[in-house]
Amino acid sequence: MSHILIVEDEAIIRTALRKLLERHRYKISEAGSVREATTKYRLTDVDLIISDLRLPGAPGTDLLKLAGDVPVLIMTSYASLRSAVDSMRMGAADYIAKPFDHDEMIATVRRVIGKAEQNRAAGAAAADSKAEGRAIAGMIGDSPVMRDLYARIHKVAPTDATVLVHGETGTGKELVARAIHEESKRSGKPLISVNCAAIPETLIEAELFGHEKGAFTGAQTAREGLVAAADGGTLFLDEIGELPLEAQARLLRVLQEGEVRPIGAIESRKVNVRLVAATHRNLRQLAAERRFREDLYYRINVVQLTLPPLRERGKDVLSIAENLIEKFCAKISRPILKLSPEAIQAVTTYTWPGNVRELENAIQRAVILTEDASEIDYETLDIDLDLVPIDEADPERRPRNSLHSDPREDLSLEDYFARFVLEHQDTMSETDLAKKLGVSRKCLWERRQKLGIPRKKSKRTAEEEA
């Protein structure tokens, strides 16, 4: 049973959160301030600390210095995004905006505790091998999944084992192949990269294996193939799932016999090539459907590395974005730009279906289009998200006076949301309500429907819509 410490000065929120977590079998301790938390408990004895950002006395971020390796989940009110991002840079495991629903909180708690357990396991394994988790040149990221990938690369690179890299489009599979090559004993020999999806099917065999003069129409001279060009080094075949079946048979011979025979040639020549293949497709399923040779699949699936999508890499996305900003600003000789709070929210919230390649394009576009400003704003970044406006004037302020009555033991977080809306909808517009609650107007509408709170059109609301 994981032990969680809740540090929250609003009793109504603290009680509701305790009941929620206890229902999911977590052991809970409570405190109303940083001082109370450090006085009553040993912070290193708990598995997770959930702390409000703004507390009486010391802020919740002080716990980041006192908790050691214990992860801290920061809770923020409607207008504290800038401080939330700053707290993550200081070491917070994650942040969550209030008010939040039950499913969101439980999912976040499980994720943070799970990551902490992975980090501890990775740290224990690193003690057995100095190389494990060591960063790789050209690859950015310090998330647990990336540290695990680095460790596997360090282990497999010095060998001659065939490697199959699996990952979505745009995740940087060629960077993995390059890292494997550069850490191998073949680093002084060529690394030949081939995108199997980019070469026409009628030409792929000639490109890979070469051809003799007159082997086919247009073959006016003999030509060495890319496999032979990689002799002594590494051959990287990207999107190997797109390779035609005939070419797969020739590649299998290269791997089994260590020789290649150009098209139209009578004799084969010996080659010593290490293969690194990459794909975003399920080769096992393709083999079952007879669209990929089963014998080739088992031949190349010696060591499999999985490159995680950007959406699963946590805070890495912000590090990559900032690195790309420096890169593109240097290219056009302009001062280094920063991301605005809204842009940070967009970058860290968006799922990036195109992964690093899509992020790179977005950052390059934003750097080029940003004029007479030191920050890249959300509009220039041009990410399709419905974001909540951030109050730049007073980012730390939050509405405490709405909870003036005595807390009730059975008041849930949804009750808190409903209570706030009912208390203020006669005096505030929908835009102001959404802003105070830290959600978009669309989200406010959806929660009204879910909780059965009809919208009452006050005079102010009618004037706003007019």
Side-chain angles (χ1 to χ4, degrees), residues 209-213 215 250 260-269:
F209 309 107
H211 59 80
E212 293 294 310
K213 180 179 179 180
R250 286 180 175 270
V260 60
R261 188 173 69 180
I263 298 175
I266 298 175
E267 296 182 352
S268 301
R269 60 163 288 189

Side-chain angles (χ1 to χ4, degrees), residues 138 140 316-330 336 363:
I140 302 169
D316 285 355
V317 63
L318 196 55
S319 300
I320 296 171
E322 291 172 342
N323 182 272
L324 290 170
I325 290 173
E326 292 183 12
K327 169 186 170 182
F328 290 122
C329 285
I336 303 298
I363 295 297

Side-chain angles (χ1 to χ4, degrees), residues 110-120 144 312-314:
R110 286 174 176 166
R111 184 175 67 251
V112 171
I113 291 179
K115 284 185 177 180
E117 291 174 350
Q118 289 179 354
N119 290 344
R120 285 192 289 270
E312 295 179 4
R313 293 178 56 182

